[in-house]
Amino acid sequence: MPSERVKAVLDRLGVAAADEGGGEPLESVDPSTGRIQGRIHAVTRVQYDARVAAALRRFEEWRMRPAPKRGEVIRRLGELLRAHKEPLGELVSLETGKIRAEGAGEVQEMIDICDFAVGLSRQLHGLTIASERPRHRLTEQWHPLGAVGIVTAFNFPVAVWAWNAALGAVCGDVCLWKPSPLTPLSSAAVQGLCETVAAEHGAEGVFTLLPGGSEAGGWLSDDPRLPLVSFTGSIAAGRTVAARVAARLGRTILELGGNNGVIVLDDADLDLAVRAITFGAVGTAGQRCTSTRRLFVQRGVARSAIDRLVSAYRTVRIGDPLEDGVLMGPLITRAAVDRYRAALAAAREQGGKVVCGGRVLERPGNFVEPAVVLAPRHDAFPIAWEETFAPILYVFEVADLDEALRAHNAVPQGLSSAIFTDSIRSAELFLSPAGSDCGIANVNAGTSGAEIGGAFGGEKETGGGRESGSDAWKGYMRRQTSTLNWGRDLPLAQGIAFGPGGRG
Ligand code: NAD
């Protein structure tokens, strides 16, 4: 039985907490209290196979439906999300612990990508290329790929699905979603909305939910019926998924962990920088893939930047994520609290000094204080080379931009980055081939809070995938190159002459 609070939200959403599968229970634990607030069941292997088969039957029809008609389905989904933004955002907050504004922001991101996908449904386009042969037309067109597996992480339990599914659906794919087992209710609620839309548009099977844990993620990875698996999660899990999909020569889109840095130079607008860094490091309790984890401050402003940061941190109210005025909710699990504690212990051992926060709060739930750690040299501080999914900011004092860039790019991850400076030369160097090596590089704007219009993703161990805006849609389609001969001769490319009377 769902808790009273969850039941009230599900009622407003007009969906029941469906008992999804016949497998093990997936419990939703309120990170603010540690209490179970609802559950659904994982799919069994037999149910998994049946759902994939049903989705593939839908694909036969869906791929031939004109893309703008597919867009109408996504338009309707966007309308339903608009109408249910508040309760769905609240459910996301209840399961993840992110504050109300961020829960609602996540649903807004779903609405935005639906709008984008509707427009895209009339914009899917290929090229016409000059042919070297007379009376020949050389073109490129894009076709639906098939059944796409979408595996998502707990921290954006619904938006990441929407980035993939809205694009995948207008591209003519059918979308099979294996959500995080830590956020089962949010995924079931979204599936409920999808089913309403599908029933209205004869599109059953375009969106399929496959609740489960890492085992179900493995089924998707190994399944040759899925030409693409879009995986969002930790680097460790992504490595396994990538290897398994590659073993069957399938495709992946990988959106893995980040270790995002901000550089603040002497000429920066410190007001702007401190606000952006605080949001980047403390927002979502440091549990965004784009959270700010490393700060490189030039010597001239180091003292004042750190003082201002610490003052800003002291104003952050921690508590129930749905309460007004709260800026930071809990971490997702007790295990995440343990990882926070362990990272701070390692930081101290390696010569770091915790100048703000760093305590686990003694109250029910997984509440911790956001921490600022003054670090020694970057190359002597290995704890900062890995992603700890918690609100810990390591601060490094640097002499100049060169030193900052070297340290910034030294880590294995490459998702998001930012510089704060008023110098056009420094900004341009940061954005140049010799600058930030990340998929996202911002100037006078923080590392987190990307818009959907741009392609989203990162380099190196972040996986190289791109999702959301720009031309990320191409990842969900297959490209076909066609030569059409409308003449009466058969000229061969490269002027090759072949056979009797061949004219090249
Ligand atoms: P996680 O890796 O524990 O789980 C992510 C998903 O993968 C879940 O659905 C999980 O059930 C599944 N999974 C786990 N092991 C698997 C396996 N061996 N095979 C198949 N599936 C498997 O990650 P998490 O704790 O839920 O999320 C946090 C991580 O996700 C962080 O590292 C964060 O940076 C990353 N993340 C990245 C992005 C991005 O866009 N780059 C976005 C959000 C989160």
Side-chain angles (χ1 to χ4, degrees):
M1 275 293 286
S3 72
E4 285 304 310
R5 223 171 163 190
V6 162
K7 193 174 168 317
V9 175
L10 291 175
D11 285 348
R12 277 155 65 210
L13 279 164
V15 294
D19 215 20
E20 260 293 326
E24 49 163 349
L26 302 172
E27 278 163 353
S28 172
V29 179
D30 180 350
S32 300
T33 62
R35 281 200 291 269
I36 295 171
Q37 55 188 349
R39 63 170 64 80
I40 65 171
H41 284 82
V43 282
T44 61
R45 175 74 211 203
V46 171
Q47 286 173 321
Y48 166 86
D49 280 326
R51 289 184 193 190
V52 175
L56 285 170
R57 283 195 297 278
R58 167 60 60 192
F59 178 62
E60 301 280 308
E61 177 272 330
W62 187 242
R63 65 185 173 184
M64 292 303 286
R65 217 184 272 201
K69 298 281 177 217
R70 300 194 293 250
E72 283 170 17
V73 177
I74 297 302
R75 179 186 304 121
R76 179 70 182 126
L77 178 62
E79 282 169 6
L80 275 189
L81 289 167
R82 268 192 176 86
H84 295 91
K85 176 174 166 181
E86 215 190 298
L88 184 57
E90 217 169 296
L91 186 58
V92 166
S93 289
L94 284 170
E95 283 206 301
T96 61
K98 61 175 77 174
I99 60 171
R100 187 186 290 280
E102 290 184 292
E106 173 155 1
V107 182
Q108 185 59 46
E109 208 166 332
M110 302 174 82
I111 295 166
D112 292 345
I113 196 72
C114 284
D115 284 353
F116 180 92
V118 174
L120 178 67
S121 72
R122 289 182 181 272
Q123 290 277 309
L124 300 170
H125 61 274
L127 295 175
T128 302
I129 300 153
S131 171
E132 68 186 55
R133 289 170 280 181
R135 294 173 192 257
H136 278 56
R137 188 154 63 84
L138 181 58
T139 58
E140 235 179 41
Q141 57 175 346
W142 293 85
H143 285 318
L145 197 55
V148 173
I150 302 167
V151 180
T152 55
F154 82 83
N155 64 325
F156 277 91
V158 291
V160 168
W161 167 82
W163 293 356
N164 284 279
L167 292 200
V170 297
C171 288
D173 298 330
V174 292
C175 305
L176 297 143
W177 181 18
K178 208 297 286 169
S180 166
L182 300 176
T183 53
L185 301 177
S186 302
S187 58
V190 169
Q191 182 65 20
L193 299 180
C194 286
E195 272 158 27
T196 303
V197 175
E200 289 171 5
H201 286 81
E204 295 86 351
V206 172
F207 303 112
T208 302
L209 186 65
L210 300 166
S214 54
E215 191 188 14
W219 297 339
L220 287 162
S221 309
D222 293 338
D223 195 334
R225 293 172 295 179
L226 310 183
L228 170 67
V229 175
S230 175
F231 178 88
T232 300
S234 57
I235 290 170
R239 219 185 277 283
T240 309
V241 169
R244 288 170 77 161
V245 178
R248 59 175 175 87
L249 301 180
R251 275 198 220 168
T252 47
I253 295 174
L254 298 174
E255 299 283 351
L256 312 180
N259 189 357
N260 316 295
V262 169
I263 297 173
V264 176
L265 297 184
D266 283 348
D267 59 10
D269 177 336
L270 276 194
D271 249 14
L272 218 63
V274 167
R275 270 158 50 205
I277 296 161
T278 308
F279 174 67
V282 174
T284 329
Q287 298 172 110
R288 285 187 182 218
C289 50
T290 52
S291 289
T292 308
R293 310 200 181 282
R294 298 176 302 141
L295 173 60
F296 303 94
V297 203
Q298 199 170 5
R299 209 144 280 155
V301 286
R303 192 64 273 152
S304 115
I306 293 161
D307 287 349
R308 287 201 205 191
L309 257 182
V310 170
S311 306
Y313 267 53
R314 297 230 158 97
T315 66
V316 171
R317 229 179 97 201
I318 304 168
D320 183 327
L322 289 176
E323 215 177 281
D324 280 350
V326 166
L327 286 184
M328 197 183 105
L331 292 179
I332 187 72
T333 54
R334 289 313 293 174
V337 173
D338 291 344
R339 288 192 288 269
Y340 164 88
R341 233 194 292 257
L344 287 174
R348 287 192 179 95
E349 225 165 79
Q350 293 168 18
K353 192 169 153 222
V354 181
V355 292
C356 179
R359 282 184 321 127
V360 174
L361 301 192
E362 282 181 27
R363 56 178 277 182
N366 313 320
F367 293 94
V368 302
E369 290 175 341
V372 176
V373 180
L374 297 192
R377 285 167 49 101
H378 190 266
D379 55 4
F381 198 61
I383 188 63
W385 309 344
E386 58 190 75
E387 178 196 51
T388 301
F389 223 49
I392 303 175
L393 181 69
Y394 303 118
V395 184
F396 303 88
E397 210 175 290
V398 291
D400 52 27
L401 178 54
D402 282 350
E403 184 187 344
L405 272 174
R406 262 196 310 280
H408 175 273
N409 289 348
V411 295
Q413 312 82 356
L415 182 52
S416 187
S417 59
I419 191 169
F420 284 83
T421 179
D422 274 355
S423 152
I424 195 165
R425 288 204 178 87
S426 302
E428 288 289 352
L429 176 62
F430 181 74
L431 298 178
S432 79
S436 162
D437 63 359
C438 290
I440 298 169
N442 299 332
V443 176
N444 294 335
T447 58
S448 72
E451 300 177 23
I452 59 99
F456 181 93
E459 302 301 331
K460 301 193 286 183
E461 289 189 359
T462 301
R466 289 297 184 276
E467 285 177 359
S468 199
S470 183
D471 65 351
W473 59 270
K474 291 179 177 169
Y476 302 84
M477 302 199 85
R478 63 184 170 86
R479 185 194 313 239
Q480 189 170 69
T481 305
S482 310
T483 304
L484 189 147
N485 174 5
W486 54 280
R488 297 215 175 271
D489 291 329
L490 194 66
L492 299 178
Q494 294 88 44
I496 289 172
F498 185 79
R503 287 193 295 118

